[in-house]
Amino acid sequence: QVQLVESGGGLVQPGGSLRLSCAASGTIFRITAMGWYRQAPGKEREFVASITDGGVTIHADSVKGRFTVTRDNAKIRAYLEMNSLESEDTAVYYCNIRANFHDYWGQGTQVTVSS
């Protein structure tokens, strides 16, 4: 069975930094990309960043220059380095794996940016 587990969330002050990690277990074939989405209360889930199997990255305009998505070179793991965090970044962050038109999701990790 496939399972994705996020970690690294927490409470930080504005301007602070966090690094999220996503670890996948199970058997997954034909992975095309791993990435991150987030959902704030009362809002729709939105795309944050992704990285393809070839290492090509995409970052949402709202996080460009502040967040960086990376992956492990040998394992099915993804990371999201978040800097200069703002209150608007407060949300539950979800790891996503896209594989052969299937989406796998983690349970999410809470990121709260508040003073």
Side-chain angles (χ1 to χ4, degrees), residues 38-106:
R38 67 186 182 186
Q39 186 169 22
K43 296 185 178 181
E44 297 181 354
R45 186 173 299 187
E46 65 175 350
F47 171 79
V48 176
S50 66
I51 182 167
T52 70
D53 57 341
V56 179
T57 62
I58 300 175
H59 296 81
D61 289 340
S62 59
V63 304
K64 282 183 178 178
R66 300 189 299 117
F67 293 8
T68 303
V69 62
T70 58
R71 65 176 175 86
D72 190 284
N73 291 329
K75 301 182 182 298
I76 307 175
R77 295 175 181 174
Y79 307 91
L80 185 68
E81 182 179 347
M82 304 183 293
N83 300 309
S84 301
L85 284 162
E86 305 167 352
S87 60
E88 292 79 9
D89 297 316
T90 296
V92 176
Y93 284 71
Y94 297 90
C95 178
N96 166 260
I97 294 179
R98 177 155 293 180
N100 197 29
F101 299 101
H102 292 83
D103 283 318
Y104 300 89
W105 297 93

Side-chain angles (χ1 to χ4, degrees), residues 1-5 23-31 75-77 97 99 104:
Q1 300 296 324
V2 176
Q3 184 174 1
L4 278 63
V5 179
S25 62
T27 302
I28 308 175
F29 296 103
R30 300 178 182 179
I31 295 174
K75 301 182 182 298
I76 307 175
R77 295 175 181 174
I97 294 179
Y104 300 89

Side-chain angles (χ1 to χ4, degrees), residues 1-39:
Q1 300 296 324
V2 176
Q3 184 174 1
L4 278 63
V5 179
E6 303 96 336
S7 62
L11 174 64
V12 298
Q13 296 182 351
S17 300
L18 284 174
R19 190 175 83 158
L20 306 183
S21 299
C22 175
S25 62
T27 302
I28 308 175
F29 296 103
R30 300 178 182 179
I31 295 174
T32 58
M34 298 185 68
W36 296 89
Y37 289 71
R38 67 186 182 186
Q39 186 169 22

